[in-house]
Amino acid sequence: MKPSLPVLGLATLFSTQIALGGVPPLPSPPPPPPMPAPQISGVQAAVLLDVQTDQVLMDEHGNRPLNPSGLVKLMTAYLLLQAEHQGLVRPDQNVQVSDRAWHAQGSRMFIQPGLPVTVAQLERGLLIDGGNDAAIAIAQTVAGSVSGFVDLMNRDAAEMGLKHTHFANPDGLPAPDQRSTALDVARLARILIENHPSVLQVAGQPKYTYNHITQYNYNPLAGEKGINGLGVGLASSKHWDLAVSASRDGRSLVAVVLGAASRSSAGADASALLHYGFHGWQQHTVYAAGARVGEIRHLSWSPETLAVTTPKAIEVAIPRGGMGKLSSQFVPAPGLALPIRAQEVVGQLELRWQGRLLKSVPVQAAQSVHPAGLVTRLWHRVRAWL
């Protein structure tokens, strides 16, 4: 077992200031004109998430548990694409359509037993047509049964950290114990996009034709410039759920609206959120990959000083306009124990804008550290007194 380092002893011997020797100072971003946040009313919850930085740019009741309706299909799509990535299914694979899938209620892509349909076609029917029949067929193809697929949905939701989400089916039809939040849906959408960006080549299409039947995307923003997904849900005639992804100038955003009164109002609110995200915020690179952002010193270590670096480039979204500067602070992990391996996470780097915490990212050891020998420890103590 690694010997644990006393936290109080460590705290007296490290610096949390990033302005150390050899550490680049944080640049001050330019102050473009400010932009007010949109007024979102008449919805039960709304969230705007920056995909690259994983920052929530706007939050209206983002943790309120609600019926996600058809937005559960985002997890259905994620599990399908995971299965494709793992070689468990192929896009060109023909699927046997069951009677249960054929008789699915609600929106459909109109598959039926004996009619050829591939996995790739089911993906389009799921994301463009919002097909509940496609969701059932996907679940049975990937997991062998709908109940087994739902187990996978909840397992992956837990692994993703979606703490307020529970799935009861793969299609989003009403179920008493099915729930999620706008923030969880946004996080799920981000994970889906980052792990399977090909989904954006499908979900943003304005229409899809299967078996001579053409259906139009339920997403009211589908086909507009920059819009590339993702999903729509209808819990009742006056409860519309919408998750929209958009990309512009190298940035990607996800807007989630839950409980809008109509399809058009959900689209208008999501459009306002995206406009605010692209025009009211800007992406800023704080540190390049491998940049030194802090250090930890301890007399019983060899080497005595551990440099702390970024595992990858660190970017943040910051408001356009306003006074103030971007600052950061390295916070070591409590109870660090030796040996420490190179590239091991040793703490968090907190990034703040005008004192407000924007995000906290893990940072790593630049080199390995081992317990110092007796002679080295004595030399460190003598030098410390000089």
Side-chain angles (χ1 to χ4, degrees), residues 308-353:
V308 179
T309 60
T310 58
K312 59 182 180 180
I314 296 179
E315 297 180 334
V316 294
I318 55 177
R320 294 183 185 271
M323 301 301 291
K325 293 184 178 181
L326 191 63
S327 62
S328 70
Q329 184 178 34
F330 165 57
V331 181
L336 282 173
L338 298 181
I340 296 173
R341 302 182 306 276
Q343 300 183 339
E344 179 179 336
V345 173
V346 292
Q348 299 286 319
L349 187 67
E350 294 183 348
L351 299 158
R352 298 178 184 273
W353 170 257

Side-chain angles (χ1 to χ4, degrees), residues 27-64:
S28 297
M35 181 179 183
Q39 298 299 310
I40 303 297
S41 60
V43 303
Q44 295 187 40
V47 161
L48 178 64
L49 182 71
D50 187 293
V51 172
Q52 278 89 355
T53 67
D54 195 25
Q55 287 174 242
V56 177
L57 307 185
M58 187 167 175
D59 182 344
E60 292 285 344
H61 308 296
N63 280 318
R64 175 183 288 174

Side-chain angles (χ1 to χ4, degrees), residues 70-83:
L71 296 185
V72 305
K73 293 185 177 81
L74 298 181
M75 180 61 86
T76 302
Y78 175 81
L79 288 175
L80 172 62
L81 294 171
Q82 283 286 94

Side-chain angles (χ1 to χ4, degrees), residues 90-97 115-122 141:
R90 302 186 320 276
D92 62 350
Q93 176 180 328
N94 286 311
V95 172
Q96 296 284 337
V97 177
L115 189 67
V117 64
T118 66
V119 168
Q121 288 174 318
L122 288 175
T141 301

Side-chain angles (χ1 to χ4, degrees), residues 101-163:
W102 180 27
H103 294 297
Q105 300 299 305
S107 57
R108 302 167 59 196
M109 69 174 290
F110 300 105
I111 56 177
Q112 55 186 286
L115 189 67
V117 64
T118 66
V119 168
Q121 288 174 318
L122 288 175
E123 180 188 355
R124 284 159 175 77
L126 178 79
L127 293 170
I128 301 172
D129 299 344
N132 295 333
D133 50 356
I136 297 299
I138 288 169
Q140 293 173 330
T141 301
V142 171
S145 68
V146 172
S147 60
F149 190 81
V150 172
D151 289 341
L152 294 179
M153 295 173 75
N154 287 312
R155 181 203 67 184
D156 280 25
E159 291 177 354
M160 293 175 184
L162 309 182
K163 298 179 181 179

Side-chain angles (χ1 to χ4, degrees), residues 141-212:
T141 301
V142 171
S145 68
V146 172
S147 60
F149 190 81
V150 172
D151 289 341
L152 294 179
M153 295 173 75
N154 287 312
R155 181 203 67 184
D156 280 25
E159 291 177 354
M160 293 175 184
L162 309 182
K163 298 179 181 179
H164 305 288
T165 295
H166 180 79
F167 295 109
N169 57 51
D171 49 37
L173 287 174
D177 56 345
Q178 188 145 263
R179 64 187 180 275
S180 190
T181 66
L183 186 56
D184 275 5
V185 171
R187 300 285 193 207
L188 169 59
R190 175 180 179 268
I191 293 170
L192 173 61
I193 292 169
E194 288 211 320
N195 285 273
H196 303 288
S198 63
V199 71
L200 301 179
Q201 300 173 14
V202 174
Q205 296 297 314
K207 61 183 179 179
Y208 177 59
T209 300
Y210 170 74
N211 191 29
H212 309 293

